[in-house]
Amino acid sequence: GNAYIDNTTISGNIARERGGGISSQPGASGRRAYVDLTFGTVVDNQAGSEPDDPWQPGQGGGIYNAGSLSLASSIVARRNE
């Protein structure tokens, strides 16, 4: 679905498959997903089936977006090891 995120920190999250910090995908209706991140920080997030299993990597540790993405004055950075 759609997400409009302003002046926010998203940090320290883990997802099993995709989008540790933010995951945006088309819904059942098939409408295009849209993320607008302004003055945001997405840092130290992780995606994978198991956090310590290098054989099962995920997609989009910080952001997974199957649509449109707009970033303005934002930071998307590192993952904890």
Side-chain angles (χ1 to χ4, degrees):
N2 298 329
Y4 301 91
I5 305 167
D6 295 318
N7 199 24
T8 300
T9 298
I10 299 171
S11 179
N13 300 288
I14 299 173
R16 289 191 64 84
E17 294 180 14
R18 54 178 75 101
I22 298 170
S23 181
S24 180
Q25 313 176 56
S29 67
R31 290 183 55 188
R32 185 179 192 114
Y34 180 80
V35 173
D36 182 317
L37 179 62
T38 305
F39 296 108
T41 302
V42 180
V43 63
D44 293 333
N45 297 288
Q46 182 176 334
S49 64
E50 297 296 332
D52 298 322
D53 186 354
W55 300 108
Q56 298 295 325
Q59 298 175 337
I63 299 173
Y64 176 84
N65 184 45
S68 298
L69 174 66
S70 172
L71 295 174
S73 301
S74 295
I75 298 167
V76 179
R78 72 180 182 265
R79 174 186 92 101
N80 281 339
E81 292 294 335

